[in-house]
Amino acid sequence: MLAGMAFYTLAAVAVVAALGVVSSRNPVHSVLFLILTFFTAAGLFVLIGAEFLAMLLVVVYVGAVAVLFLFVVMMLDVDFVELRQGFLNYLPLGALIALVLLGQIGLVASAVLQNQAVQLNPDATAQLAATNAEAVGSVLYTRYVLVFQLSGLVLFVAMIGAIVLTLRSRVGVKKQSVSRQVGRRRQDAVGLKDVRPGQGLG
Amino acid sequence: MTSEDLLFSLSWVQPELLLAGFVLLGTLVGALFGARSTRLLNVVATAALFAAGVMALMHRPEAPQDIFAGAMSIDAFGAFAKAVIAFAAAATLLLGAEHFHRLQDQQFEFPLITVTAVLGMFVMVSANDLIALYVGVELQSLAAYVLAAWRRDDARSSEAGLKYFVLGALSSGLLLFGCSYVYGFSGSVQFDTIAAAAVEPGVGLMFGLVMVLAGLAFKMGAAPFHMWTPDVYEGAPTPVAALFAAAPKVAAVVLMARMLYEPFAGMEHEWRQVIAVLAGASMLVGAFAGLVQTNLKRLMAYSSIANMGFVLMALAAGSPEGAQAALIYIAVYLPATIGVFAVMMALRHQGQAIETIGDLAGIGQRHVGFAALLTILFFSLAGIPPLAGFWGKFEAFRASLGAGLVPLAVVGAIAAVVAAGYYLRVLATVWFSPSAPSDVRPSSGVSAVLAVVGAALCFPLLLVFMAGLEHAADAAVRASF
């Protein structure tokens, strides 16, 4: 009963917030709605017993991705009104795709109702006896070590790629050169002047 | 997974370990020595790619070996494909090294990113579950997006990178969406468990299959998911376009073959229609849209679309002969394609690689050697009999006719004739157009050598090589399926 109420509340808030993301005029509001959507989705994860995923969702998506979006929206001068110009032109196509997706969700729902979809595989459910974090930790470096390391390489490529495509060596920028700094001698920098009283350096 | 399992698994992924080790150490070297280390890294990367290809070929198992708790499966089919991928990538890496050296645009990251892309392709080729499949695809694609945008000061290159990235992300989404359906309706991400569930497929598994195929067709550049290909080829630097036309195609084709013949073998009746439609559409789009192109790189893009259609036609057969024909087709298609790109880069127009067909006017009078090379390469692509391209097409048609796909073979024949038209149009420009006083200058160097090698490989060297290739492909397929 309580779980049911929590589910419907969270689900309703999630849908309304998701609509807010695409319909609000102010991009900052859109991002805030997005954060709300993530939070409610995290709540839904907790309800189905996936507390680790909920935690990740909050830490990664709310903590990092959404804040990054917010930075981009607030710092870059993107003309969002102009971006929306084509909205009506693409509406029919978008609506068609949305209908197809809706049909597929209906398909899954009907399959689940008819018990066509398979249950979770047994060794995964056995591991769920421990906490989520333990279950993930016990397979991350053993069973899934290959994909874990490969994911590391994917991130590595993303980093190198971002540097290659954006880093420019600009001319005329003053940079610290440690070797020049250390190699500088006293004669290069200090001169001793014998200043007579009352005459200055002239 | 115990430590013995891990050591056993690692012993089968030595080529991958070599490439990953090169990337990590190379980054360190590059960070320390900057652009000065570019030449060294290019050489070492080429050597590493060659070594990885040879290692994969030498160290191939008799029976498929499942490693990493079933995430990967090493077999002869994959070993053959890995060798082809590694050699093709090494050739295009050499082209790229020369190209960027000429442009005075030396960046040590180029060999590193290229090798990472190859690593992703190796994982795609050996993937045995949906997670490894996705990670391999993503590793390869991410590196490819960066390579497409390499000339960041060039608006077309940036556009190519952005377009590739956005559409690639969409296709990855489709692929993942399909994978989640397959997982939901089969209960596992492992190919063998999916295969058991696919014997009696429900409608959910069908949807998943179609979505996964759409995602993979995008990565292959098969119609109707081909729209990114011409723009990306045109915008990307020429050696990068050569890379895109070669190695990733092999990986995508092998992955497609594996998906169709292993997890979804039980749904052959369902996927055959999808693959036949993709094949027919690709052949027709590639053939007819290629007719109106004036840019050589766009022409090669449509040529690759048409060729992917022929490969899919072979795969649609659904028999081991189909996989074998696809493998042979792709192996004979690569030297011709890389050769054409090498000629484009060897003939330079105002210091740049030539781009339009018009630049080739009168080459036949002034640079007979290059004209002859182009003739051999395009004849092979068109499938004119004594050359290797003919045997590739022959195998593809034989496989599809053997499976009773007569309408598809008819479409393929029409497309082959039309496509031969535009290859011959290029050659007509080369030999018969009045020699315009243009300043196209040939250069000797790596690209010229590679063009000669590519053309030489188009001759089925006294058919011995062909027989060897057929035997190798046959053994690879037999051991794997």
Side-chain angles (χ1 to χ4, degrees):
Chain A
M1 174 63 194
L2 195 63
M5 270 171 60
F7 171 78
Y8 285 112
T9 316
L10 286 170
V13 173
V15 172
V16 171
L19 280 176
V21 176
V22 288
S23 63
S24 60
R25 288 198 166 277
N26 187 333
V28 177
H29 294 174
S30 281
V31 177
L32 292 175
F33 271 123
L34 190 66
I35 294 177
L36 181 60
T37 318
F38 285 145
F39 265 117
T40 46
L44 290 173
F45 273 131
V46 171
L47 275 185
I48 57 170
E51 72 274 3
F52 184 67
L53 268 184
M55 202 165 72
L56 276 188
L57 197 69
V58 172
V59 172
V60 177
Y61 281 88
V62 178
V65 177
V67 172
L68 200 67
F69 276 170
L70 206 55
F71 269 126
V72 172
V73 164
M74 294 191 338
M75 290 170 71
L76 293 186
D77 185 22
V78 183
D79 191 351
F80 285 90
V81 179
E82 194 184 340
L83 278 182
R84 285 167 181 279
Q85 293 293 321
F87 183 70
L88 277 180
N89 294 345
Y90 297 118
L91 193 61
L93 187 66
L96 184 72
I97 293 175
L99 270 181
V100 171
L101 290 180
L102 194 67
Q104 291 189 334
I105 292 172
L107 181 92
V108 176
S110 73
V112 170
L113 288 180
Q114 295 163 15
N115 272 329
Q116 268 190 16
V118 284
Q119 299 300 312
L120 279 173
N121 64 31
D123 67 315
T125 30
Q127 280 162 353
L128 284 183
T131 66
N132 280 193
E134 276 177 83
V136 171
S138 67
V139 291
L140 195 59
Y141 283 101
T142 53
R143 195 187 151 94
Y144 295 109
V145 63
L146 175 79
V147 283
F148 184 70
Q149 295 294 339
L150 284 173
S151 315
L153 269 174
V154 171
L155 294 178
F156 183 74
V157 175
M159 184 181 77
I160 300 280
I163 293 173
V164 170
L165 295 181
T166 53
L167 182 72
R168 290 161 192 277
S169 53
R170 284 181 295 173
V171 287
V173 181
K174 290 188 173 162
K175 283 185 184 159
Q176 183 182 27
S177 162
V178 177
S179 57
R180 270 183 64 198
Q181 231 173 6
V182 175
R184 202 170 178 201
R185 287 170 307 160
R186 187 168 184 275
Q187 299 90 292
D188 302 337
V190 184
L192 207 58
K193 299 277 184 198
D194 190 10
V195 184
R196 300 254 167 100
Q199 290 187 355
L201 279 175
Chain B
M1 205 158 87
T2 61
S3 56
E4 289 88 55
D5 286 342
L6 186 62
L7 286 177
F8 174 76
S9 302
L10 287 177
S11 75
W12 286 110
V13 290
Q14 284 165 13
E16 286 85 350
L17 288 177
L18 175 73
L19 295 182
F22 165 76
V23 170
L24 297 179
L25 285 178
T27 311
L28 210 57
V29 171
L32 283 177
F33 300 103
R36 276 174 296 159
S37 56
T38 311
R39 186 177 281 259
L40 172 76
L41 285 176
N42 275 325
V43 172
V44 179
T46 313
L49 285 174
F50 260 108
V54 172
M55 270 159 86
L57 211 51
M58 288 297 170
H59 189 56
R60 61 175 190 272
E62 292 293 320
Q65 298 284 341
D66 283 357
I67 54 172
F68 290 115
M72 276 174 113
S73 170
I74 305 293
D75 54 21
F77 185 61
F80 185 80
K82 280 181 193 174
V84 174
I85 289 171
F87 297 152
T92 50
L93 181 61
L94 283 176
L95 287 180
E98 190 197 42
H99 182 77
F100 291 120
H101 179 67
R102 285 224 176 99
L103 293 180
Q104 304 282 321
D105 181 23
Q106 298 275 53
Q107 277 177 298
F108 72 88
E109 291 95 343
F110 181 72
L112 301 177
I113 302 265
T114 309
V115 171
T116 326
V118 175
L119 181 61
M121 293 172 213
F122 274 29
V123 176
M124 283 165 75
V125 161
S126 292
N128 197 40
D129 75 16
L130 294 174
I131 303 178
L133 176 153
Y134 178 71
V135 175
V137 166
E138 214 46 24
L139 187 57
Q140 180 255 315
S141 312
L142 206 57
Y145 306 147
V146 177
L147 287 175
W150 200 258
R151 304 276 303 161
R152 58 186 183 186
D153 295 322
D154 179 10
R156 281 189 314 165
S157 180
S158 307
E159 185 201 328
L162 189 64
K163 194 172 264 181
Y164 197 13
F165 177 67
V166 171
L167 291 174
L170 181 72
S171 81
S172 291
L174 281 181
L175 186 66
L176 271 185
F177 193 57
C179 287
S180 69
Y181 266 63
V182 172
Y183 174 59
F185 284 88
S186 68
S188 175
V189 291
Q190 300 249 314
F191 283 0
D192 41 4
T193 321
I194 297 172
V199 177
E200 290 173 22
V203 72
L205 207 51
M206 287 259 299
F207 256 110
L209 170 68
V210 172
M211 284 287 177
V212 170
L213 291 186
L216 289 182
F218 180 93
K219 301 291 178 196
M220 278 174 84
F225 305 101
H226 64 284
M227 54 307 214
W228 58 276
T229 326
D231 293 338
V232 171
Y233 279 35
E234 188 188 359
T238 312
V240 173
L243 176 74
F244 288 171
K249 303 282 184 198
V250 188
V253 166
V254 169
L255 185 57
M256 185 73 116
R258 219 179 259 287
M259 288 301 279
L260 296 179
Y261 286 62
E262 283 174 11
F264 294 110
M267 296 166 70
E268 188 184 320
H269 188 66
E270 285 83 1
W271 59 249
R272 177 176 282 164
Q273 301 155 11
V274 179
I275 296 296
V277 169
L278 286 176
S282 304
M283 291 187 289
L284 291 177
V285 166
F288 282 96
L291 283 176
V292 293
Q293 304 304 322
T294 55
N295 183 302
L296 262 179
K297 278 154 94 179
R298 290 185 83 87
L299 183 84
M300 290 310 289
Y302 283 106
S303 159
S304 86
I305 295 170
N307 282 307
M308 285 303 108
F310 286 109
V311 169
L312 285 170
M313 180 175 82
L315 286 180
S319 54
E321 287 76 37
Q324 185 196 342
L327 207 53
I328 291 182
Y329 192 97
I330 199 86
V332 298
Y333 153 81
L334 287 188
T337 307
I338 295 178
V340 170
F341 276 103
V343 171
M344 282 165 64
M345 293 174 53
L347 293 174
R348 304 190 83 77
H349 177 62
Q350 293 169 348
Q352 298 278 340
I354 56 164
E355 290 225 336
T356 64
I357 297 176
D359 288 341
L360 290 173
I363 295 291
Q365 280 101 50
R366 279 173 295 150
H367 312 297
V368 183
F370 281 106
L373 284 180
L374 270 181
T375 311
I376 295 168
L377 294 166
F378 276 121
F379 270 22
S380 181
L381 279 177
I384 290 180
L387 297 167
F390 169 73
W391 296 103
K393 284 207 170 60
F394 178 76
E395 295 283 343
F397 279 107
R398 193 171 69 173
S400 73
L401 286 176
L405 297 170
V406 179
L408 187 60
V410 171
V411 171
I414 295 171
V417 172
V418 175
Y422 62 68
Y423 296 128
L424 293 179
R425 190 167 66 95
V426 176
L427 291 179
T429 313
V430 168
W431 288 105
F432 305 122
S433 278
S435 169
S438 70
D439 54 349
V440 171
R441 287 180 209 293
S443 64
S444 56
V446 180
S447 46
V449 173
L450 279 172
V452 173
V453 171
L457 285 177
C458 288
F459 283 108
L461 293 172
L462 305 170
L463 287 170
V464 174
F465 169 70
M466 266 322 281
L469 183 63
E470 190 163 338
H471 180 71
D474 184 47
V477 169
R478 225 163 273 283
S480 307
F481 297 116

